[in-house]
Amino acid sequence: MKKITFFAIAMLAFTGVFAQFNQGRMLVGGSAEFSTDTDKDKDGGTTVTNYTVTSLSISPSFGYFVIDNLAVGASLGLGVSKLNDRSDNNFDYDYSSNSIQFAPFVRYYLPVGVFFQGKFGFGKQKTNYESDNIPDNKYNTSGLSLSTGYVIFLTDNVAIEPELGYQVKKSKETDSSEKDINSGIFLRIGFQIYLGNK
């Protein structure tokens, strides 16, 4: 009897999760990130702080389930960052940077709430230097990421989504042929609201 009860509860839970990802539903949410990085040099017992970079980014997103378990959508990444030069030199390296990126995505859900996502983004970035000796720079940016995550429902419609993945980011100065490429693993916590009938 205990086995039958356990099986029935497990099937109800499974069905409840599965019903969240049916055709016609929408998801609205995104993620936010704040970071402060400090560059230091250490020589013996002396530590010199060169600069700090403070960054803030938000990425609102929208998706639509075209069929059961498969959602397509896009996010809009908005970012600002500022570098403060703290080294004892006469070169003013302070700058601020603004960026915007549009990133379509495809996301596939397993019935247990695990999802796999592919995203490709492209956009613009502008860097303003607080020095007359350095011209402002404009960049074309792009990025590709592949990730997997898990949906944790806090209510029937609201969920947080831890996500682990790998990404490649490229930037190219508009007046140059040189490209800057960065890649690596990322960990992100997202927030989603699932709308529509289950």
Side-chain angles (χ1 to χ4, degrees):
M1 183 66 179
K2 289 182 179 179
K3 290 182 179 179
I4 294 174
T5 303
F6 175 78
F7 180 74
I9 293 172
M11 288 302 295
L12 285 173
F14 178 86
T15 303
V17 172
F18 179 79
Q20 300 287 348
F21 314 122
N22 56 336
Q23 182 179 4
R25 296 205 81 193
M26 295 171 286
L27 52 97
V28 178
S31 62
E33 181 179 328
F34 176 81
S35 65
T36 300
D37 300 314
T38 302
D39 182 82
K40 297 180 179 181
D41 289 332
K42 187 171 183 179
D43 186 8
T46 304
T47 301
V48 176
T49 299
N50 295 319
Y51 59 84
T52 60
V53 179
T54 304
S55 302
L56 172 66
S57 64
I58 58 172
S59 299
S61 63
F62 175 82
Y64 180 80
F65 285 89
V66 292
I67 59 173
D68 289 352
N69 303 323
L70 181 66
V72 297
S75 65
L76 184 66
L78 306 169
V80 294
S81 63
K82 184 172 178 61
L83 182 146
N84 292 317
D85 184 8
R86 296 186 176 181
S87 58
D88 296 327
N89 56 41
N90 296 321
F91 179 66
D92 187 1
Y93 193 63
D94 292 1
Y95 72 75
S96 60
S97 179
N98 302 297
S99 64
I100 183 170
Q101 189 171 73
F102 179 74
F105 66 82
V106 176
R107 180 184 280 199
Y108 181 77
Y109 292 79
L110 296 179
V112 292
V114 175
F115 65 83
F116 303 94
Q117 179 172 277
K119 180 187 289 188
F120 177 75
F122 52 92
K124 300 284 186 179
Q125 179 178 331
K126 183 178 180 181
T127 301
N128 302 305
Y129 291 92
E130 297 178 11
S131 172
D132 295 333
N133 299 323
I134 309 176
D136 295 343
N137 292 330
K138 294 181 180 180
Y139 302 88
N140 294 318
T141 63
S142 63
L144 174 67
S145 67
L146 299 172
S147 60
T148 185
Y150 184 70
V151 182
I152 303 171
F153 281 101
L154 304 178
T155 69
D156 287 344
N157 300 96
V158 178
I160 57 173
E161 300 177 345
E163 184 181 354
L164 177 66
Y166 180 80
Q167 62 186 357
V168 178
K169 296 180 179 180
K170 297 180 181 180
S171 63
K172 177 183 174 297
E173 194 172 350
T174 54
D175 297 330
S176 171
S177 60
E178 185 176 345
K179 291 183 180 180
D180 183 44
I181 301 174
N182 295 298
S183 61
I185 296 172
F186 68 87
L187 177 63
R188 179 185 300 131
I189 303 274
F191 174 84
Q192 296 288 352
I193 300 173
Y194 289 77
L195 303 174
N197 296 325
K198 296 181 184 179

